[in-house]
Amino acid sequence: MTGHRFTAMECSWKAVLLLVVASLAVQYTAIRTFIAKPFTICRVPKHTGCAPALAAPCHPQAQPISHILVLATTRSGSSFIGQLLNQHSDIFYLFEPLYHVQTALINSSLRNRHPSWSAAEGRRLLLGAYRDLLRSLFDCRLHDLETYIRPAPEQHRTQRLFRRGASKALCSPPVCAAPGAQAQPQPQAQAQAQRGPAAERWEEGECVRRCGALNLTLAARLCRRRHHVAIKTVRIPEIGDLRSLLEDPRLNLKVIQLVRDPRGILSSRIDTFPDSFRAWKIWRNSGRRPYNLDASHLSATCEDFLHSAGTGLARPGWLKGRYMLVRYEDLAREPQKKTEEIYRFLGLSMDGSVQRWILNNTRGAGTSGNQKYATVRDSAATAEGWRFKLSYDMVELVQNICNLTLAQLGYKLVNSPEELRNMSISLAEDKTFLPFLTME
């Protein structure tokens, strides 16, 4: 009897164990199936005076959120293209949120002094943090920024968000309740708003002064009400660094890679960052090349352009429908046409505020050196204005370092000081970079 009892118990435990294993297998399969399927994020309904449901089902016809990333490098015109997205009434735009990741992690590594870290390991750590935060921000989880903002926000409020004033959404109601702040027009009133007088324009610092501390909870709530989230960054070197995000079925990500003639980038960096480019400035002003000239930043920029644009133009399957290469010079010469192409690639319609911004901000008289991030200028003249600022010797050095990149992106070489100053010939040759929408 005892033997039969133990045999029955043993069979009973085996049966239970098999049931548990089978249950776990079913759950695992269900979870993997759920993760593998793209999900649709529904627009949060407008406030009606009633408490919203915690989990309202998605309507089959609801428009999915689209995620837009402008991939650029410093002084390549990224503020300009960012504003073309920022002006749209249904885009929630963030200017360089990855700045906080870079400063927090670099400062932390300096304090903790990790001598065993190699440059490659540091780069992997930084890129991993960038990608994680981008996922959060595209999902409107703005509170995840608090991990990196210094000093840390209190009760989800901060005065230290980098370049907050560059985002209309963060300087408008309901995020900002200051007098003079203008809410984005709702669709039914948008046509009338476009015909009305221009809204009061604030400088970036004025936005911060008037609006006070940024309430990240309110900002996240507004983000969820928009159909599109756009982010601009100069901190990710290559499109290949974004592959995991582009292949993530939970994101509807499209990347606009902005490039510029490296000779123009150098000229702008000398003017904008005089302390970091002191030797270059001495060379430009005196005509004599300093012995301690550092050109590593220039070679790094050109290598990043070469590899990144090379990947995009090779049209790998994981970029299909998600990649567009834009030259700053083309955008500056024909801002209306190129902006229409960008919006067509994104699948969006340009609204009146975007068109008005183009009209008001591409025919200016230029900017002073104190307005290094301003966008009001004669954009066509700005694009190749560097030809009067750099000496031929400086240009020749850039051409030697970046010759492959210049050829790939369609920038002409100059072979004499006379060619350099001859503004009747553009150095950005006619070259079409079609968005990668279909497989050839």
Side-chain angles (χ1 to χ4, degrees):
M1 291 292 293
T2 304
H4 288 297
R5 188 180 302 117
F6 280 112
T7 302
M9 291 177 63
E10 183 179 353
C11 291
S12 174
W13 281 110
K14 286 182 178 179
V16 170
L17 182 60
L18 286 172
L19 286 173
V20 170
V21 171
S23 175
L24 290 174
V26 170
Q27 293 180 48
Y28 175 78
T29 302
I31 291 171
R32 292 293 298 171
T33 302
F34 174 78
I35 292 174
K37 291 181 179 179
F39 67 88
T40 299
I41 304 175
C42 292
R43 187 177 190 176
V44 177
K46 296 178 178 64
H47 183 63
T48 60
C50 302
L54 290 178
C58 288
H59 190 279
Q61 299 301 319
Q63 181 180 358
I65 283 181
S66 62
H67 308 109
I68 306 160
L69 185 67
V70 176
L71 181 65
T73 190
T74 53
R75 309 313 300 165
S76 62
S78 58
S79 296
F80 181 81
I81 196 172
Q83 287 304 312
L84 295 174
L85 301 173
N86 185 36
Q87 304 307 312
H88 195 282
S89 59
D90 205 17
I91 291 179
F92 185 89
Y93 174 71
L94 291 174
F95 181 101
E96 294 294 343
L98 300 186
Y99 163 86
H100 294 287
V101 180
Q102 183 184 45
T103 54
L105 292 187
I106 288 178
N107 290 340
S108 175
S109 65
L110 289 175
R111 283 196 306 272
N112 297 325
R113 301 191 179 196
H114 296 290
S116 60
W117 282 7
S118 66
E121 289 170 330
R123 182 181 185 276
R124 282 196 298 271
L125 173 67
L126 207 54
L127 287 173
Y130 287 160
R131 287 189 291 262
D132 289 344
L133 184 59
L134 286 174
R135 278 193 184 92
S136 296
L137 297 180
F138 281 133
D139 197 27
C140 293
R141 289 182 280 126
L142 270 62
H143 291 146
D144 288 4
L145 264 171
E146 298 183 28
T147 304
Y148 303 104
I149 295 175
R150 301 292 184 271
E154 296 183 6
Q155 298 181 333
H156 307 304
R157 297 172 67 89
T158 179
Q159 296 271 16
R160 297 302 183 91
L161 185 72
F162 181 63
R163 298 287 304 277
R164 170 193 177 177
S167 170
K168 288 180 66 175
L170 301 183
C171 299
S172 306
V175 180
C176 174
Q182 181 170 350
Q184 295 284 348
Q186 300 302 328
Q188 62 268 25
Q190 190 169 333
Q192 177 63 36
Q194 290 170 6
R195 291 192 294 268
E200 178 183 359
R201 294 182 178 88
W202 292 354
E203 296 294 331
E204 282 195 29
E206 189 74 359
C207 165
V208 174
R209 185 182 69 80
R210 293 195 190 189
C211 295
L214 173 63
N215 186 322
L216 289 169
T217 301
L218 288 180
R221 196 172 298 162
L222 177 62
C223 176
R224 294 187 183 97
R225 292 181 65 87
R226 300 287 174 87
H227 274 134
H228 317 287
V229 180
I231 296 172
K232 191 270 287 189
T233 183
V234 297
R235 288 171 169 81
I236 296 179
E238 302 177 23
I239 187 69
D241 297 320
L242 296 168
R243 181 168 179 172
S244 63
L245 294 184
L246 287 158
E247 292 183 322
D248 190 332
R250 296 167 295 180
L251 295 178
N252 181 24
L253 179 60
K254 292 188 176 182
V255 176
I256 301 167
Q257 180 170 7
L258 180 68
V259 296
R260 184 183 183 183
D261 190 323
R263 296 165 293 191
I265 289 175
L266 171 63
S267 178
S268 183
R269 287 177 178 174
I270 293 172
D271 288 333
T272 308
F273 311 115
D275 292 339
S276 300
F277 288 81
R278 189 180 304 277
W280 288 91
K281 193 168 186 177
I282 291 173
W283 187 6
R284 187 180 67 179
N285 293 342
S286 68
R288 294 189 299 273
R289 177 176 174 173
Y291 72 92
N292 60 340
L293 190 75
D294 180 12
S296 60
H297 68 94
L298 193 59
S299 59
T301 295
C302 289
E303 286 176 12
D304 289 342
F305 276 176
L306 187 66
H307 297 152
S308 190
T311 298
L313 297 176
R315 303 193 165 199
W318 53 273
L319 274 183
K320 181 182 177 182
R322 300 180 179 275
Y323 180 79
M324 181 178 187
L325 180 70
V326 177
R327 291 191 307 187
Y328 170 66
E329 291 79 9
D330 298 330
L331 182 62
R333 285 185 303 199
E334 298 183 290
Q336 180 74 24
K337 177 185 175 183
K338 295 306 293 186
T339 304
E340 288 173 356
E341 291 178 6
I342 289 170
Y343 271 86
R344 195 156 48 244
F345 162 69
L346 297 174
L348 306 180
S349 299
M350 287 175 56
D351 58 23
S353 57
V354 178
Q355 294 171 349
R356 285 196 305 275
W357 191 91
I358 293 172
L359 184 65
N360 294 331
N361 291 270
T362 59
R363 300 180 183 180
T367 60
S368 69
N370 294 329
Q371 297 174 303
K372 62 184 180 180
Y373 297 112
T375 52
V376 179
R377 63 192 73 189
D378 181 342
S379 60
T382 301
E384 295 194 52
W386 59 267
R387 295 170 67 175
F388 289 108
K389 295 182 178 181
L390 299 182
S391 68
Y392 175 71
D393 289 342
M394 298 176 77
V395 169
E396 191 174 37
L397 175 62
V398 179
Q399 292 179 167
N400 290 336
I401 294 174
C402 301
N403 60 326
L404 294 178
T405 304
L406 292 166
Q408 179 195 56
L409 299 178
Y411 295 117
K412 300 175 184 176
L413 303 182
V414 294
N415 298 301
S416 68
E418 292 72 28
E419 283 187 34
L420 176 62
R421 308 296 187 213
N422 183 3
M423 297 299 289
S424 65
I425 301 175
S426 173
L427 297 184
E429 65 188 32
D430 291 335
K431 190 165 185 175
T432 301
F433 298 96
L434 295 175
F436 178 25
L437 300 177
T438 58
M439 298 291 285
E440 295 180 347

PDB file of all heavy atoms in Angstrom, residues 124-146:
ATOM      1  N   ARG A 124      29.776  52.730 -26.117  1.00  0.00           N
ATOM      2  CA  ARG A 124      28.643  51.810 -26.054  1.00  0.00           C
ATOM      3  C   ARG A 124      27.697  52.187 -24.922  1.00  0.00           C
ATOM      4  O   ARG A 124      26.474  52.141 -25.072  1.00  0.00           O
ATOM      5  CB  ARG A 124      29.131  50.368 -25.872  1.00  0.00           C
ATOM      6  CG  ARG A 124      29.644  49.727 -27.151  1.00  0.00           C
ATOM      7  CD  ARG A 124      29.748  48.213 -27.002  1.00  0.00           C
ATOM      8  NE  ARG A 124      30.690  47.843 -25.964  1.00  0.00           N
ATOM      9  CZ  ARG A 124      31.982  47.642 -26.148  1.00  0.00           C
ATOM     10  NH1 ARG A 124      32.499  47.813 -27.371  1.00  0.00           N
ATOM     11  NH2 ARG A 124      32.767  47.282 -25.155  1.00  0.00           N
ATOM     12  N   LEU A 125      28.268  52.564 -23.780  1.00  0.00           N
ATOM     13  CA  LEU A 125      27.448  52.968 -22.641  1.00  0.00           C
ATOM     14  C   LEU A 125      26.614  54.189 -22.990  1.00  0.00           C
ATOM     15  O   LEU A 125      25.411  54.246 -22.718  1.00  0.00           O
ATOM     16  CB  LEU A 125      28.342  53.266 -21.435  1.00  0.00           C
ATOM     17  CG  LEU A 125      27.640  53.855 -20.205  1.00  0.00           C
ATOM     18  CD1 LEU A 125      26.706  52.831 -19.588  1.00  0.00           C
ATOM     19  CD2 LEU A 125      28.664  54.333 -19.169  1.00  0.00           C
ATOM     20  N   LEU A 126      27.258  55.169 -23.605  1.00  0.00           N
ATOM     21  CA  LEU A 126      26.575  56.408 -23.939  1.00  0.00           C
ATOM     22  C   LEU A 126      25.477  56.168 -24.977  1.00  0.00           C
ATOM     23  O   LEU A 126      24.342  56.647 -24.828  1.00  0.00           O
ATOM     24  CB  LEU A 126      27.592  57.421 -24.471  1.00  0.00           C
ATOM     25  CG  LEU A 126      27.280  58.912 -24.305  1.00  0.00           C
ATOM     26  CD1 LEU A 126      26.996  59.254 -22.858  1.00  0.00           C
ATOM     27  CD2 LEU A 126      28.442  59.749 -24.820  1.00  0.00           C
ATOM     28  N   LEU A 127      25.790  55.400 -26.024  1.00  0.00           N
ATOM     29  CA  LEU A 127      24.799  55.138 -27.054  1.00  0.00           C
ATOM     30  C   LEU A 127      23.632  54.330 -26.517  1.00  0.00           C
ATOM     31  O   LEU A 127      22.473  54.549 -26.907  1.00  0.00           O
ATOM     32  CB  LEU A 127      25.447  54.402 -28.235  1.00  0.00           C
ATOM     33  CG  LEU A 127      26.368  55.242 -29.121  1.00  0.00           C
ATOM     34  CD1 LEU A 127      27.074  54.360 -30.145  1.00  0.00           C
ATOM     35  CD2 LEU A 127      25.572  56.332 -29.841  1.00  0.00           C
ATOM     36  N   GLY A 128      23.907  53.407 -25.614  1.00  0.00           N
ATOM     37  CA  GLY A 128      22.827  52.640 -25.005  1.00  0.00           C
ATOM     38  C   GLY A 128      21.887  53.520 -24.201  1.00  0.00           C
ATOM     39  O   GLY A 128      20.656  53.380 -24.281  1.00  0.00           O
ATOM     40  N   ALA A 129      22.463  54.452 -23.460  1.00  0.00           N
ATOM     41  CA  ALA A 129      21.637  55.390 -22.688  1.00  0.00           C
ATOM     42  C   ALA A 129      20.850  56.309 -23.613  1.00  0.00           C
ATOM     43  O   ALA A 129      19.680  56.622 -23.352  1.00  0.00           O
ATOM     44  CB  ALA A 129      22.522  56.212 -21.749  1.00  0.00           C
ATOM     45  N   TYR A 130      21.476  56.740 -24.711  1.00  0.00           N
ATOM     46  CA  TYR A 130      20.773  57.575 -25.690  1.00  0.00           C
ATOM     47  C   TYR A 130      19.551  56.842 -26.239  1.00  0.00           C
ATOM     48  O   TYR A 130      18.442  57.399 -26.315  1.00  0.00           O
ATOM     49  CB  TYR A 130      21.695  57.928 -26.862  1.00  0.00           C
ATOM     50  CG  TYR A 130      22.782  58.930 -26.565  1.00  0.00           C
ATOM     51  CD1 TYR A 130      23.913  59.017 -27.378  1.00  0.00           C
ATOM     52  CD2 TYR A 130      22.687  59.816 -25.493  1.00  0.00           C
ATOM     53  CE1 TYR A 130      24.915  59.941 -27.135  1.00  0.00           C
ATOM     54  CE2 TYR A 130      23.675  60.745 -25.244  1.00  0.00           C
ATOM     55  CZ  TYR A 130      24.793  60.804 -26.064  1.00  0.00           C
ATOM     56  OH  TYR A 130      25.785  61.718 -25.825  1.00  0.00           O
ATOM     57  N   ARG A 131      19.754  55.614 -26.661  1.00  0.00           N
ATOM     58  CA  ARG A 131      18.647  54.859 -27.259  1.00  0.00           C
ATOM     59  C   ARG A 131      17.526  54.620 -26.254  1.00  0.00           C
ATOM     60  O   ARG A 131      16.339  54.735 -26.592  1.00  0.00           O
ATOM     61  CB  ARG A 131      19.166  53.531 -27.822  1.00  0.00           C
ATOM     62  CG  ARG A 131      19.992  53.681 -29.093  1.00  0.00           C
ATOM     63  CD  ARG A 131      20.291  52.331 -29.718  1.00  0.00           C
ATOM     64  NE  ARG A 131      21.220  51.557 -28.910  1.00  0.00           N
ATOM     65  CZ  ARG A 131      22.528  51.477 -29.137  1.00  0.00           C
ATOM     66  NH1 ARG A 131      23.071  52.152 -30.147  1.00  0.00           N
ATOM     67  NH2 ARG A 131      23.303  50.741 -28.367  1.00  0.00           N
ATOM     68  N   ASP A 132      17.885  54.287 -25.022  1.00  0.00           N
ATOM     69  CA  ASP A 132      16.861  54.049 -23.996  1.00  0.00           C
ATOM     70  C   ASP A 132      16.030  55.301 -23.756  1.00  0.00           C
ATOM     71  O   ASP A 132      14.799  55.232 -23.635  1.00  0.00           O
ATOM     72  CB  ASP A 132      17.509  53.598 -22.688  1.00  0.00           C
ATOM     73  CG  ASP A 132      18.069  52.181 -22.764  1.00  0.00           C
ATOM     74  OD1 ASP A 132      17.686  51.451 -23.707  1.00  0.00           O
ATOM     75  OD2 ASP A 132      18.886  51.815 -21.903  1.00  0.00           O
ATOM     76  N   LEU A 133      16.690  56.457 -23.678  1.00  0.00           N
ATOM     77  CA  LEU A 133      15.948  57.688 -23.424  1.00  0.00           C
ATOM     78  C   LEU A 133      15.092  58.063 -24.631  1.00  0.00           C
ATOM     79  O   LEU A 133      13.960  58.532 -24.472  1.00  0.00           O
ATOM     80  CB  LEU A 133      16.903  58.834 -23.082  1.00  0.00           C
ATOM     81  CG  LEU A 133      16.204  60.152 -22.710  1.00  0.00           C
ATOM     82  CD1 LEU A 133      15.284  59.960 -21.504  1.00  0.00           C
ATOM     83  CD2 LEU A 133      17.221  61.248 -22.429  1.00  0.00           C
ATOM     84  N   LEU A 134      15.599  57.854 -25.840  1.00  0.00           N
ATOM     85  CA  LEU A 134      14.796  58.147 -27.019  1.00  0.00           C
ATOM     86  C   LEU A 134      13.517  57.309 -27.034  1.00  0.00           C
ATOM     87  O   LEU A 134      12.428  57.817 -27.357  1.00  0.00           O
ATOM     88  CB  LEU A 134      15.594  57.897 -28.296  1.00  0.00           C
ATOM     89  CG  LEU A 134      16.663  58.938 -28.633  1.00  0.00           C
ATOM     90  CD1 LEU A 134      17.488  58.493 -29.839  1.00  0.00           C
ATOM     91  CD2 LEU A 134      16.035  60.303 -28.907  1.00  0.00           C
ATOM     92  N   ARG A 135      13.624  56.029 -26.678  1.00  0.00           N
ATOM     93  CA  ARG A 135      12.422  55.196 -26.597  1.00  0.00           C
ATOM     94  C   ARG A 135      11.410  55.797 -25.629  1.00  0.00           C
ATOM     95  O   ARG A 135      10.217  55.863 -25.904  1.00  0.00           O
ATOM     96  CB  ARG A 135      12.793  53.781 -26.119  1.00  0.00           C
ATOM     97  CG  ARG A 135      13.303  52.850 -27.197  1.00  0.00           C
ATOM     98  CD  ARG A 135      13.343  51.406 -26.705  1.00  0.00           C
ATOM     99  NE  ARG A 135      13.912  50.526 -27.712  1.00  0.00           N
ATOM    100  CZ  ARG A 135      15.187  50.210 -27.797  1.00  0.00           C
ATOM    101  NH1 ARG A 135      16.043  50.735 -26.941  1.00  0.00           N
ATOM    102  NH2 ARG A 135      15.633  49.406 -28.740  1.00  0.00           N
ATOM    103  N   SER A 136      11.902  56.223 -24.475  1.00  0.00           N
ATOM    104  CA  SER A 136      11.015  56.803 -23.464  1.00  0.00           C
ATOM    105  C   SER A 136      10.369  58.086 -23.971  1.00  0.00           C
ATOM    106  O   SER A 136       9.162  58.293 -23.808  1.00  0.00           O
ATOM    107  CB  SER A 136      11.797  57.091 -22.178  1.00  0.00           C
ATOM    108  OG  SER A 136      12.280  55.908 -21.592  1.00  0.00           O
ATOM    109  N   LEU A 137      11.155  58.957 -24.572  1.00  0.00           N
ATOM    110  CA  LEU A 137      10.634  60.251 -25.000  1.00  0.00           C
ATOM    111  C   LEU A 137       9.651  60.095 -26.161  1.00  0.00           C
ATOM    112  O   LEU A 137       8.655  60.823 -26.227  1.00  0.00           O
ATOM    113  CB  LEU A 137      11.782  61.174 -25.392  1.00  0.00           C
ATOM    114  CG  LEU A 137      12.755  61.526 -24.261  1.00  0.00           C
ATOM    115  CD1 LEU A 137      13.858  62.444 -24.779  1.00  0.00           C
ATOM    116  CD2 LEU A 137      12.029  62.172 -23.083  1.00  0.00           C
ATOM    117  N   PHE A 138       9.922  59.166 -27.067  1.00  0.00           N
ATOM    118  CA  PHE A 138       8.972  58.944 -28.151  1.00  0.00           C
ATOM    119  C   PHE A 138       7.645  58.394 -27.615  1.00  0.00           C
ATOM    120  O   PHE A 138       6.608  58.553 -28.246  1.00  0.00           O
ATOM    121  CB  PHE A 138       9.561  57.986 -29.194  1.00  0.00           C
ATOM    122  CG  PHE A 138      10.526  58.641 -30.138  1.00  0.00           C
ATOM    123  CD1 PHE A 138      11.757  58.058 -30.422  1.00  0.00           C
ATOM    124  CD2 PHE A 138      10.207  59.835 -30.759  1.00  0.00           C
ATOM    125  CE1 PHE A 138      12.643  58.652 -31.302  1.00  0.00           C
ATOM    126  CE2 PHE A 138      11.096  60.454 -31.640  1.00  0.00           C
ATOM    127  CZ  PHE A 138      12.304  59.850 -31.908  1.00  0.00           C
ATOM    128  N   ASP A 139       7.689  57.771 -26.459  1.00  0.00           N
ATOM    129  CA  ASP A 139       6.479  57.278 -25.798  1.00  0.00           C
ATOM    130  C   ASP A 139       5.917  58.311 -24.821  1.00  0.00           C
ATOM    131  O   ASP A 139       5.040  58.002 -24.015  1.00  0.00           O
ATOM    132  CB  ASP A 139       6.796  55.971 -25.055  1.00  0.00           C
ATOM    133  CG  ASP A 139       5.540  55.190 -24.696  1.00  0.00           C
ATOM    134  OD1 ASP A 139       4.524  55.327 -25.408  1.00  0.00           O
ATOM    135  OD2 ASP A 139       5.561  54.456 -23.702  1.00  0.00           O
ATOM    136  N   CYS A 140       6.485  59.534 -24.873  1.00  0.00           N
ATOM    137  CA  CYS A 140       6.038  60.657 -24.030  1.00  0.00           C
ATOM    138  C   CYS A 140       6.295  60.422 -22.541  1.00  0.00           C
ATOM    139  O   CYS A 140       5.654  61.053 -21.692  1.00  0.00           O
ATOM    140  CB  CYS A 140       4.553  60.960 -24.266  1.00  0.00           C
ATOM    141  SG  CYS A 140       4.209  61.596 -25.929  1.00  0.00           S
ATOM    142  N   ARG A 141       7.225  59.556 -22.201  1.00  0.00           N
ATOM    143  CA  ARG A 141       7.585  59.355 -20.794  1.00  0.00           C
ATOM    144  C   ARG A 141       8.700  60.344 -20.443  1.00  0.00           C
ATOM    145  O   ARG A 141       9.850  59.990 -20.245  1.00  0.00           O
ATOM    146  CB  ARG A 141       8.007  57.908 -20.563  1.00  0.00           C
ATOM    147  CG  ARG A 141       6.844  56.930 -20.626  1.00  0.00           C
ATOM    148  CD  ARG A 141       7.247  55.505 -20.342  1.00  0.00           C
ATOM    149  NE  ARG A 141       7.840  54.863 -21.501  1.00  0.00           N
ATOM    150  CZ  ARG A 141       9.021  54.270 -21.510  1.00  0.00           C
ATOM    151  NH1 ARG A 141       9.787  54.262 -20.428  1.00  0.00           N
ATOM    152  NH2 ARG A 141       9.477  53.699 -22.610  1.00  0.00           N
ATOM    153  N   LEU A 142       8.315  61.605 -20.339  1.00  0.00           N
ATOM    154  CA  LEU A 142       9.286  62.675 -20.113  1.00  0.00           C
ATOM    155  C   LEU A 142       9.909  62.623 -18.727  1.00  0.00           C
ATOM    156  O   LEU A 142      10.979  63.192 -18.503  1.00  0.00           O
ATOM    157  CB  LEU A 142       8.623  64.038 -20.334  1.00  0.00           C
ATOM    158  CG  LEU A 142       8.694  64.591 -21.761  1.00  0.00           C
ATOM    159  CD1 LEU A 142       7.979  63.665 -22.747  1.00  0.00           C
ATOM    160  CD2 LEU A 142       8.099  65.981 -21.839  1.00  0.00           C
ATOM    161  N   HIS A 143       9.254  61.932 -17.799  1.00  0.00           N
ATOM    162  CA  HIS A 143       9.819  61.827 -16.450  1.00  0.00           C
ATOM    163  C   HIS A 143      11.149  61.083 -16.449  1.00  0.00           C
ATOM    164  O   HIS A 143      11.959  61.242 -15.523  1.00  0.00           O
ATOM    165  CB  HIS A 143       8.836  61.123 -15.510  1.00  0.00           C
ATOM    166  CG  HIS A 143       7.613  61.943 -15.228  1.00  0.00           C
ATOM    167  ND1 HIS A 143       6.368  61.378 -15.037  1.00  0.00           N
ATOM    168  CD2 HIS A 143       7.439  63.273 -15.114  1.00  0.00           C
ATOM    169  CE1 HIS A 143       5.482  62.328 -14.810  1.00  0.00           C
ATOM    170  NE2 HIS A 143       6.110  63.487 -14.853  1.00  0.00           N
ATOM    171  N   ASP A 144      11.397  60.271 -17.488  1.00  0.00           N
ATOM    172  CA  ASP A 144      12.670  59.548 -17.553  1.00  0.00           C
ATOM    173  C   ASP A 144      13.852  60.491 -17.740  1.00  0.00           C
ATOM    174  O   ASP A 144      14.998  60.111 -17.489  1.00  0.00           O
ATOM    175  CB  ASP A 144      12.639  58.520 -18.680  1.00  0.00           C
ATOM    176  CG  ASP A 144      11.743  57.324 -18.352  1.00  0.00           C
ATOM    177  OD1 ASP A 144      11.102  57.362 -17.279  1.00  0.00           O
ATOM    178  OD2 ASP A 144      11.667  56.375 -19.146  1.00  0.00           O
ATOM    179  N   LEU A 145      13.582  61.716 -18.180  1.00  0.00           N
ATOM    180  CA  LEU A 145      14.647  62.717 -18.279  1.00  0.00           C
ATOM    181  C   LEU A 145      15.204  63.087 -16.916  1.00  0.00           C
ATOM    182  O   LEU A 145      16.348  63.532 -16.799  1.00  0.00           O
ATOM    183  CB  LEU A 145      14.102  63.986 -18.947  1.00  0.00           C
ATOM    184  CG  LEU A 145      14.307  64.181 -20.443  1.00  0.00           C
ATOM    185  CD1 LEU A 145      13.509  65.372 -20.925  1.00  0.00           C
ATOM    186  CD2 LEU A 145      15.783  64.364 -20.767  1.00  0.00           C
ATOM    187  N   GLU A 146      14.404  62.926 -15.883  1.00  0.00           N
ATOM    188  CA  GLU A 146      14.800  63.383 -14.548  1.00  0.00           C
ATOM    189  C   GLU A 146      16.037  62.654 -14.036  1.00  0.00           C
ATOM    190  O   GLU A 146      16.762  63.166 -13.180  1.00  0.00           O
ATOM    191  CB  GLU A 146      13.638  63.208 -13.573  1.00  0.00           C
ATOM    192  CG  GLU A 146      12.420  64.046 -13.948  1.00  0.00           C
ATOM    193  CD  GLU A 146      11.297  63.926 -12.942  1.00  0.00           C
ATOM    194  OE1 GLU A 146      11.586  63.661 -11.759  1.00  0.00           O
ATOM    195  OE2 GLU A 146      10.127  64.107 -13.319  1.00  0.00           O
TER     196      GLU A 146
END
